[in-house]
Amino acid sequence: MTTSPPAPGDEPGATSPPSPGPSGGSLPLLPRPTAPPTAPTDVPRPTVLVGEVVEPSAAGCVEMTSGGQVFSLLLPAGVEVSVGDRVRVTGTPRPVERGTACAGTQVVVTDVAPA
């Protein structure tokens, strides 16, 4: 029995070249950023919600439903709303802040108007 020499790349310890990506070429690389972002990209922006003030889930809460979701409203001083009011509020969501018994995403309200 004769043995042929190993083919190139078949030697012990040899590694094979990387296989091409699904399109036949190598994967594209993103360019390296030249500077940090000029504005935060993960900061909630003011939004407008239209809905109805509902019975609060806990004392001291002001809550509304809009688009099938519940929002806990942090109203400006001196602004009052009543259960059943249809309102249009402008405010900034604070989705990561909890710590109250109020239901839904907290919204820091800057403006309230009848809807």
Side-chain angles (χ1 to χ4, degrees), residues 15-28:
T15 60
S16 61
S19 60
S23 63
S26 61
L27 297 175

Side-chain angles (χ1 to χ4, degrees), residues 30-91:
L30 295 175
R32 174 165 270 172
T34 57
T38 57
T41 56
D42 60 349
V43 175
R45 301 187 193 288
T47 188
V48 175
L49 300 169
V50 177
E52 182 176 342
V53 178
V54 295
E55 192 70 41
S57 59
C61 298
V62 177
E63 297 170 4
M64 73 175 284
T65 58
S66 178
Q69 292 184 290
V70 176
F71 296 91
S72 173
L73 305 179
L74 302 174
L75 298 171
V79 174
E80 293 185 20
V81 294
S82 299
V83 173
D85 287 352
R86 295 267 315 149
V87 294
R88 179 178 192 256
V89 299
T90 302

